Amino acid sequence: MKTIKEPARDIPVRAEADVLVVGGGPAGIMAASAAAGDGLRVMLVESRGFLGGNLTIGLPILGFLGRKGNQIIEGSAQRFIDRLRARGAASEHRPCKNHMSLTIIDEEEVKRTALEIMEEKGVEVLLYTFFADAIREGDAVKGVVVESKAGREAILAKTVIDCTGDGDVAFRAGVECRKGDAEGGMQPPTLMFCMKGVDVQRLRDAIVGHPDVYDMDVMPPEQFRTGKFITVGLRTQIRQAQAAGYRIPVARTILITGLADDEIWVNMSRVSGVDSTRPESYTYGEIEGRKQIYEIARYLREFVPGFADARIEKVAPFMGIRESRVIVGRYVLTAEDIIACRRFGDAIAVAGYPVDIHHAKGGDCTMHFCDDSYDIPYRCLLPERVAGLLVAGRCSSMNHEAMASTRVMSTCMALGEAAGRAARLALKAGVQPADLDVEALRAELRATGAYLG
């Protein structure tokens, strides 16, 4: 690759924080709010013009409940839902055979609520600010370099929490990272879109009354009779459309009821081969995903009951990335841990979503379930041999298969809360996050409402 030499220059230090959270998605919001307190200066840097990340793209939150129907994600994540629900902007946690539970949220109220919480907690938020590099001295991260309209600046911090989803801070800090399966294949992303004017009752009646025609993958028809729901199936309809010349990129029809009675969010675009850490690849995914949604909407109007008069109301502001970088931490969670419902002495979160792998090639997916729930150890948030850094969310230390379970937003929120509380407690104790008394962390998590089994 052709290169140029950039002149050396002094970078102004914009701020010095006690805790700096990079990335304002589900994990980042929880991390920043949990880190705040005890007089600490906490900052949150986000590249977009709003907070919320994948909470704002029309996806439901999956996995608040476990396999046995009990609630396993509580604490700050539940308090966030409570605030939304008080505004009529979130549904109940509805049990779902495939997804453990389904929680519908209003994406615009998420943005409002997240900013309110940051203001209440005293977290300093910087929007439209891009992470550019990690500042490392010896074996410790000392802050980050950011880029914005103001130019290139540094933010120094005693502790940095990487909630970028792509492990950007960890990668730039020299932490070992991995992407995808043994062949480098990653789960493809989806560009969500919303359709209004859907006759949802007609869709319900078709699924419940004709399960032989409108087949649902291991989901009983009775699940669709009342309340919010998600469809996974209607494979016959897709095959009919493909035979008629429609270009549908998936094998299953995935539809999610919205908060409005005539609203459906569609999770059916799929662009294989997208790598969100490469801008040309991510750009291709956004362009191709946008092309796909119009063909999918045409398919729904023609082949799925209730959609004849439906229209595209809005498209998500960005693709939902299922997989990119993960760190290699002090413990790497595996699918075997999940399937075995493994327990850990340093557990800082409990999860129960299945290992849900959308195939890197083709349009289908594979799901593997544990019988109950499983623990996520604190060591998954700690990089090997790099101090001053915690990593929370889908870029935490999991292998390809395990990340297919931990990537859902409820789990990411729980990991973010644990990372934020760990950062604050470690500073209070005068130790590095890796040297924190994990029992003190677990005690605080329990005291503030988190579920640890």
Side-chain angles (χ1 to χ4, degrees):
M1 180 182 290
K2 187 176 180 179
T3 63
I4 62 167
K5 185 174 289 293
E6 185 177 13
R9 54 177 167 161
D10 292 330
I11 298 174
V13 176
R14 182 182 186 93
E16 297 185 43
D18 293 299
V19 180
L20 172 64
V21 180
V22 183
I29 295 169
M30 298 297 114
S33 63
D38 296 333
L40 298 181
R41 184 180 186 184
V42 178
M43 297 185 69
L44 173 60
V45 171
E46 167 57 45
S47 62
R48 297 184 174 94
F50 53 87
L51 300 181
N54 279 356
L55 289 164
T56 70
I57 65 174
L59 286 166
I61 305 179
L62 308 177
F64 263 97
L65 305 183
R67 182 78 160 163
K68 295 183 177 180
N70 59 311
Q71 186 162 343
I72 57 175
I73 303 291
E74 296 183 347
S76 294
Q78 181 57 49
R79 288 190 287 275
F80 191 85
I81 297 299
D82 290 342
R83 290 179 70 135
L84 292 177
R85 196 170 290 160
R87 290 175 166 158
S91 71
E92 75 285 356
H93 305 311
R94 185 164 191 218
C96 176
K97 186 174 177 65
N98 259 9
H99 307 95
M100 303 305 96
S101 66
L102 184 72
T103 309
I104 308 298
I105 54 174
D106 182 300
E107 69 280 3
E108 294 302 325
E109 286 294 343
V110 163
K111 299 173 187 176
R112 173 190 179 191
T113 301
L115 286 171
E116 285 179 348
I117 292 172
M118 295 304 103
E119 187 174 19
E120 292 166 9
K121 294 283 188 177
V123 175
E124 299 175 46
V125 177
L126 272 180
L127 302 175
Y128 303 111
T129 304
F130 289 83
F131 165 81
D133 206 353
I135 301 169
R136 180 170 167 173
E137 294 179 8
D139 65 352
V141 172
K142 297 295 185 179
V144 304
V145 177
V146 297
E147 291 269 8
S148 70
K149 296 283 188 179
R152 193 169 176 88
E153 301 173 305
I155 301 176
L156 304 181
K158 296 173 184 175
T159 304
V160 177
I161 306 177
D162 185 343
C163 295
T164 61
D166 294 320
D168 292 332
V169 181
F171 178 73
R172 292 288 183 179
V175 176
E176 182 183 356
C177 296
R178 297 173 182 168
K179 285 192 293 188
D181 58 20
E183 299 177 349
M186 290 181 283
Q187 297 188 67
T190 291
L191 182 62
M192 297 285 293
F193 67 98
C194 173
M195 298 191 75
K196 294 292 283 290
V198 182
D199 186 342
V200 175
Q201 189 58 50
R202 186 178 176 199
L203 176 61
R204 288 183 196 279
D205 292 342
I207 294 170
V208 174
H210 304 282
D212 54 326
V213 177
Y214 303 104
D215 53 312
M216 293 295 108
D217 288 14
V218 304
M219 300 173 81
E222 286 301 311
Q223 184 168 309
F224 305 99
R225 190 175 292 282
T226 60
K228 303 300 179 184
F229 64 83
I230 179 171
T231 73
V232 180
L234 283 81
R235 292 174 182 264
T236 301
Q237 283 63 44
I238 287 183
R239 287 192 293 268
Q240 290 172 350
Q242 290 170 335
Y246 286 69
R247 292 173 289 107
I248 309 299
V250 290
R252 309 173 306 161
T253 304
I254 304 179
L255 309 171
I256 305 144
T257 49
L259 290 172
D261 291 340
D262 66 339
E263 179 180 276
I264 290 283
W265 281 89
V266 184
N267 183 355
M268 290 179 63
S269 67
R270 172 173 293 193
V271 189
S272 297
V274 170
D275 183 345
S276 60
T277 68
R278 294 169 51 229
E280 70 278 13
S281 179
Y282 205 168
T283 300
Y284 163 74
E286 291 281 352
I287 294 170
E288 179 60 25
R290 196 165 289 272
K291 291 177 181 177
Q292 289 180 4
I293 66 175
Y294 294 96
E295 183 78 341
I296 293 166
R298 193 166 72 95
Y299 149 72
L300 292 171
R301 293 188 194 102
E302 184 67 24
F303 289 90
V304 178
F307 281 85
D309 298 320
R311 65 188 184 280
I312 295 177
E313 174 75 5
K314 51 191 168 185
V315 179
F318 57 90
M319 298 191 87
I321 300 297
R322 289 187 174 90
E323 181 174 14
S324 60
R325 292 192 199 103
V326 293
I327 69 163
V328 177
R330 300 194 173 205
Y331 187 83
V332 178
L333 193 75
T334 68
E336 289 75 20
D337 292 330
I338 292 172
I339 300 304
C341 302
R342 194 149 292 152
R343 304 300 172 193
F344 295 93
D346 62 338
I348 44 76
V350 175
Y353 190 74
V355 176
D356 177 9
I357 301 178
H358 291 245
H359 299 169
K361 299 177 183 178
D364 216 333
C365 81
T366 303
M367 301 183 84
H368 302 282
F369 297 82
C370 67
D371 291 333
D372 187 2
S373 60
Y374 62 91
D375 289 350
I376 301 176
Y378 179 52
R379 288 164 290 162
C380 288
L381 310 184
L382 298 171
E384 286 271 33
R385 296 182 293 278
V386 177
L389 179 65
L390 288 152
V391 181
R394 64 176 169 82
C395 49
S396 300
S397 182
M398 291 91 182
N399 69 6
H400 167 70
E401 293 80 13
M403 198 279 303
S405 170
T406 61
R407 63 182 171 82
V408 294
M409 290 185 284
S410 61
T411 304
C412 289
M413 293 168 87
L415 295 179
E417 178 179 8
R421 295 197 184 283
R424 182 169 48 76
L425 290 175
L427 287 173
K428 191 175 179 181
V431 299
Q432 286 291 327
D435 299 321
L436 177 65
D437 177 2
V438 73
E439 281 305 320
L441 172 59
R442 284 163 51 82
E444 167 146 332
L445 284 166
R446 285 197 185 96
T448 51
Y451 178 82
L452 297 182

